[in-house]
Amino acid sequence: MGKKIQSALISVYYKDKLDLIVKELDKLGIKIYSTGGTQSFIEGLGVKVTAVEELTSYPSILGGRVKTLHPKVFGGILGRRDNESDQKEMKQYGIPEIDLVIVDLYPFEETVAAGKSEEEVIEKIDIGGISLIRAAAKNFKDTIIVSSKDDYQALLDLLQSKSGTSDIEDRKRFAARAFMTSSHYDTRIFEYFNGSYNFEVFKKSELNGKVLRYGENPHQRGVFYGDLNALFDILNGKELSYNNLVDVDAAINLIAEFTEPTVAIIKHTNSCGLASRSNILDAYKAAFACDTVSAFGGIIAANRTIDAAAATEMNSLFFEVLIAPGYDDDALAILKTKKNRIIIQQKAPVKTVKTFKNLLNGVLEQDADTKAEGKNEFKVATTKTPAEQEIADLTFAVVAVKHLKSNGIALVKNGQLIGMGCGQTSRVDALQGAIKKAKEFGFDLKGAVMASDAFFPFPDCVNISHEAGISAISQPGGSIKDQDSIDAANKNGQAMVFTGVRHFRH
């Protein structure tokens, strides 16, 4: 059974499109209460409005901090229409029923994002608004709550289609969205304060949810929570899938580590191609050469604008997604010849501070792995010191192996990944797989370097790498048997550096 709206309280920060609602309420003969700037806005529309101060017989005080916090306001919202005692008290104290509450919240999140002072941020913590939202949502049996400008259109549609009435499901749905609004708001406030204290609690809130075609597999439901539009413009192709997003994340995080023109080719979050060159065409050719089989159906990421020459070369390969900071017009025309190919222009960097993984009956949180060791961090452990080109390749290899699943081994030569082994239960297996890959695609391992994501507990990997022709090695060190590996490298005439940092990735 529909419930007729007789009165409404409106107190909002955002007034865009509010005029349509106000005029519809007036047309339906609904009494309007308001205060402050909202009251002035409604009066400016030529619509009759009763000031909240007239209802409460109390002015707005403390610089506007206290306006609606009064029993005559909250009693009108919380009073149960079917409760005899409530009705008796409302009549006794002259409390009118309020059937509709339209309120939004001060822009706390936006104020923090703008880098404002603490004083300005604190003043944007809404008190009256959040209280009105909770009160009206709690009493959804009798009251409609509109808690965000995002719901203005839904309310307007309801008013017009049902002539100012609502049913219980309408009110309950608005209440659910109201609690979504209030919980998100409180989470953002907590995050602001917790930045100083780091209480060990897990609170995250993201209002942007996009249902995907499916999850990792077709029988699994998938949803992405976040604002991809802030990072990307999708210039061509179908919608990103769950697996696309996972690989795009891996590709972007890897390519962000390089300053020279670089191309990465990703398959199942691991790089099957990675190279730096003086231009993006040569970088792509070198990356593709690493594993011309695995590149099929992969994700390509570049850190420079794609020109026509690079686009022409890429166009001969079937790949799912291409990510770059820009595209020449003629390059885009070439790439768009495949209608389902996803072409992404990255607008902003991904700033990952924490990573999360749900497991067992909880969530793991850790700092993002933002370290990448280079020449300044390398500590030479062997008699032989790496040559200049070896140091450059070891620096490249450390980044490459950091982004492989553990156990991971990366083989690099002249700024090009020429072999990789990842996701193995044995580091020996990872190395042997990397060597096999390199030979399979015609690479000469003589003078190549090797990076390991973790230390060598035994000298076996050192000796295997020597037999393959590898001249320099990077590893974190830290094993109680480090000396065995050092001795083996010295005997083999190899250079070895310790980075002091492990890069497990599971």
Side-chain angles (χ1 to χ4, degrees), residues 377-397:
E377 291 77 32
F378 290 163
K379 293 183 178 179
V380 179
T382 49
T383 303
K384 184 178 180 182
T385 298
E388 185 177 342
Q389 182 59 51
E390 288 174 328
I391 289 174
D393 282 343
L394 286 169
T395 302
F396 186 104

Side-chain angles (χ1 to χ4, degrees), residues 12 19 162 167 188 223 285 396 422 444 475:
V12 298
D19 57 326
K162 295 188 177 180
D167 58 40
R188 288 292 186 254
V223 183
K285 287 180 177 179
F396 186 104
C422 60
D444 180 7
Q475 61 139 319

Side-chain angles (χ1 to χ4, degrees), residues 61-307:
I61 61 173
L62 305 181
R65 281 188 163 197
V66 180
K67 290 183 284 191
T68 56
L69 295 167
H70 193 280
K72 282 197 172 182
V73 174
F74 281 85
I77 295 169
L78 286 164
R80 292 162 289 188
R81 314 307 194 248
D82 60 356
N83 184 290
E84 186 178 339
S85 177
D86 283 7
Q87 290 300 303
K88 183 178 178 181
E89 287 185 295
M90 291 174 74
K91 185 176 181 180
Q92 178 182 352
Y93 296 109
I95 299 172
E97 294 178 353
I98 297 175
D99 305 314
L100 168 64
V101 176
I102 305 173
V103 62
D104 59 15
L105 301 170
Y106 291 158
F108 175 85
E109 197 170 348
E110 295 85 344
T111 305
V112 173
K116 299 295 185 180
S117 68
E118 181 174 285
E119 182 180 358
E120 291 173 292
V121 168
I122 298 305
E123 284 307 308
K124 288 298 184 286
I125 297 177
D126 206 307
I127 303 301
I130 203 81
S131 302
L132 289 168
I133 287 171
R134 292 180 65 86
K138 177 177 179 176
N139 197 31
F140 68 86
K141 193 174 178 184
D142 299 304
T143 307
I144 301 177
I145 172 63
V146 175
S147 59
S148 166
K149 64 181 185 299
D150 296 336
D151 291 330
Y152 284 0
Q153 188 60 50
L155 174 64
L156 185 61
D157 291 344
L158 178 69
L159 293 172
Q160 292 175 338
S161 63
K162 295 188 177 180
S163 303
T165 65
S166 67
D167 58 40
I168 188 67
E169 281 305 314
D170 295 325
R171 297 191 294 276
K172 194 170 184 179
R173 185 177 186 280
F174 276 113
R177 289 188 61 82
F179 283 122
M180 176 183 74
T181 298
S182 64
S183 64
H184 176 79
Y185 195 76
D186 283 340
T187 296
R188 288 292 186 254
I189 294 171
F190 170 75
E191 287 173 347
Y192 175 78
F193 281 92
N194 197 40
S196 302
Y197 303 104
N198 289 318
F199 297 132
E200 285 76 23
V201 295
F202 184 76
K203 286 183 178 292
K204 295 296 171 186
S205 179
E206 177 54 63
L207 294 179
N208 296 300
K210 179 177 178 56
V211 177
L212 306 173
R213 295 197 301 273
Y214 49 81
E216 199 164 7
N217 300 291
H219 63 278
Q220 295 170 275
R221 183 174 182 268
V223 183
F224 175 77
Y225 297 100
D227 183 10
L228 289 176
N229 292 329
L231 299 176
F232 307 138
D233 285 330
I234 298 180
L235 308 179
N236 188 71
K238 58 189 178 181
E239 289 190 351
L240 287 161
S241 70
Y242 179 101
N243 291 326
N244 288 156
L245 287 166
V246 172
D247 282 343
V248 164
D249 178 71
I252 285 174
N253 281 293
L254 172 57
I255 207 72
E257 303 257 23
F258 295 91
T259 55
E260 295 180 355
T262 302
V263 170
I265 304 175
I266 301 295
K267 200 75 172 286
H268 298 295
T269 74
N270 293 296
S271 56
C272 59
L274 181 66
S276 295
R277 292 291 185 265
S278 61
N279 61 76
I280 215 68
L281 170 61
D282 290 343
Y284 170 72
K285 287 180 177 179
F288 176 65
C290 177
D291 186 340
T292 58
V293 174
S294 296
F296 181 86
I299 306 288
I300 303 175
N303 64 354
R304 293 290 194 281
T305 295
I306 304 297
D307 57 23

